[in-house]
Amino acid sequence: MSSRPLSPHLQIYRPQLTSILSITHRTTGIFLSAGILALTYWLISVAAGESTHATARAWLGSLPGQLLLIGWSFSFYFHLCNGIRHLFWDVGMGFELKTVYASGYTVVVASVVMTALTWSYVLSQGSVQ
């Protein structure tokens, strides 16, 4: 048995912005897939009749439902912005370290701002339903 340490050793490894954004991109993709189930539930409730739709509206309008919708919105915007960033990388642009970090922070800020703008509009309309 070798006494060599594992590499990278998790107790000393410092996560970098690029690794955090990569993990977040994958996580938001999974969350978007799960969000499709909520969208499908809502669409089926519309077709199933008023009482079923009222139940779906009540659930999606509740605090847990709204938190899931906000998370889904953030996931959508983050995945979109980071996907655009990756498209630039696919054509060979933006690989300089300074640009990688600037575009990474831009993705995070843009995602938060677009989510906040979306939900400030939705809530100003008086109802999520």
Side-chain angles (χ1 to χ4, degrees):
M1 179 103 186
S2 174
S3 63
R4 293 175 29 191
L6 299 175
S7 179
H9 202 276
L10 295 178
Q11 281 87 1
I12 61 171
Y13 179 73
R14 185 174 148 243
Q16 299 174 353
L17 178 65
T18 52
S19 63
I20 297 296
L21 293 180
S22 176
I23 292 166
T24 306
H25 187 78
R26 294 162 200 253
T27 305
T28 57
I30 292 167
F31 195 68
L32 284 172
S33 298
I36 292 296
L37 296 174
L39 176 62
T40 303
Y41 167 66
W42 179 79
L43 288 171
I44 290 171
S45 78
V46 170
E50 182 58 37
S51 65
T52 305
H53 185 59
T55 302
R57 285 187 359 221
W59 186 82
L60 291 171
S62 70
L63 182 60
Q66 286 186 9
L67 290 174
L68 286 172
L69 290 172
I70 290 169
W72 195 33
S73 303
F74 174 80
S75 294
F76 173 76
Y77 288 128
F78 181 87
H79 211 77
L80 173 70
C81 292
N82 206 41
I84 292 169
R85 179 178 178 232
H86 277 267
L87 286 174
F88 279 97
W89 287 358
D90 288 344
V91 296
M93 296 172 60
F95 285 119
E96 300 80 24
L97 190 58
K98 184 177 179 180
T99 306
V100 167
Y101 274 83
S103 65
Y105 286 119
T106 301
V107 163
V108 173
V109 170
S111 303
V112 169
V113 167
M114 288 190 287
T115 301
L117 288 173
T118 298
W119 281 93
S120 65
Y121 174 76
V122 168
L123 296 174
S124 75
Q125 299 304 306
S127 176
V128 175
Q129 306 163 8

